[in-house]
Amino acid sequence: MLGLGISMLPRFTVEKELAEGRIHAICWDGPIPNYKVQMLYHKDKWISPTLQSFLGTTREYLFGNRD
């Protein structure tokens, strides 16, 4: 929305912004490129059990059983 780049997002997450003309979809006919995933959180803040579960599930899915 600020003109700072291009993102690949599921359409349902941006339907409102697309409908309002705040962002524009670009048709992509090529292969889906590799991408990097980052999860950031403050190391000194309390992490809820739900977030802990999400982080653990994501780590396991992305990296197997290693931490």
Side-chain angles (χ1 to χ4, degrees):
M1 287 187 290
L2 297 175
L4 298 176
I6 296 172
S7 294
M8 294 181 72
L9 300 166
R11 182 174 282 276
F12 77 90
T13 65
V14 293
E15 285 294 341
K16 180 180 176 185
E17 291 81 0
L18 286 166
E20 294 172 349
R22 295 170 54 200
I23 62 173
H24 302 281
I26 298 172
C27 293
W28 183 265
D29 293 330
I32 297 175
N34 291 331
Y35 57 91
K36 295 184 181 196
V37 174
Q38 294 181 340
M39 294 187 298
L40 306 172
Y41 55 92
H42 195 287
K43 66 181 179 72
D44 296 328
K45 298 281 184 172
W46 179 75
I47 299 174
S48 71
T50 303
L51 180 55
Q52 287 177 7
S53 178
F54 171 76
L55 294 171
T57 300
T58 304
R59 282 186 192 110
E60 186 174 328
Y61 177 78
L62 294 173
F63 306 114
N65 291 325
R66 64 186 174 122
D67 284 333

